[in-house]
Amino acid sequence: KCWQGSKHPCGMALDYCQRAWGVVDRQCNIPDRERVAQIAARHGLFEGGQWCSNDYGHVEAGGSSPCGRNLWSSIAKFKAKRHRIARLR
């Protein structure tokens, strides 16, 4: 199911070439954030490098607010959940 903090679980988002949140592997040789954002927008996707928290290497279906208050809340919840899951492993 999708939830407020991530569209990944329902197949509406993906990360590419990421080594960590917003950090892309240089060996992937992908365009800079602005160019990726243009390409993504052309296909109805939003590029995470546009967020205040910079999730370069992430794209998702639909639009999103680059620096919206709801985004900060969602990111904080997502990171907290990811941290809890990592501790359980």
Side-chain angles (χ1 to χ4, degrees), residues 13-79:
L14 64 89
D15 295 328
Y16 57 93
C17 297
Q18 279 192 332
R19 298 181 60 84
W21 182 281
V23 179
V24 175
D25 188 335
R26 291 181 185 173
Q27 293 181 2
C28 288
N29 196 28
I30 58 173
D32 62 31
R33 288 185 294 198
E34 291 79 20
R35 182 71 181 125
V36 173
Q38 291 172 350
I39 294 167
R42 210 174 326 149
H43 297 282
L45 301 171
F46 181 82
E47 196 277 316
Q50 297 177 73
W51 285 329
C52 295
S53 63
N54 177 24
D55 192 11
Y56 180 41
H58 170 94
V59 292
E60 63 181 50
S64 188
S65 172
C67 289
R69 292 176 191 229
N70 291 339
L71 175 66
W72 282 110
S73 174
S74 297
I75 290 170
K77 289 176 186 175
F78 174 71
K79 286 183 176 180

Side-chain angles (χ1 to χ4, degrees), residues 7 76 84:
K7 292 183 179 180
R84 285 192 302 272

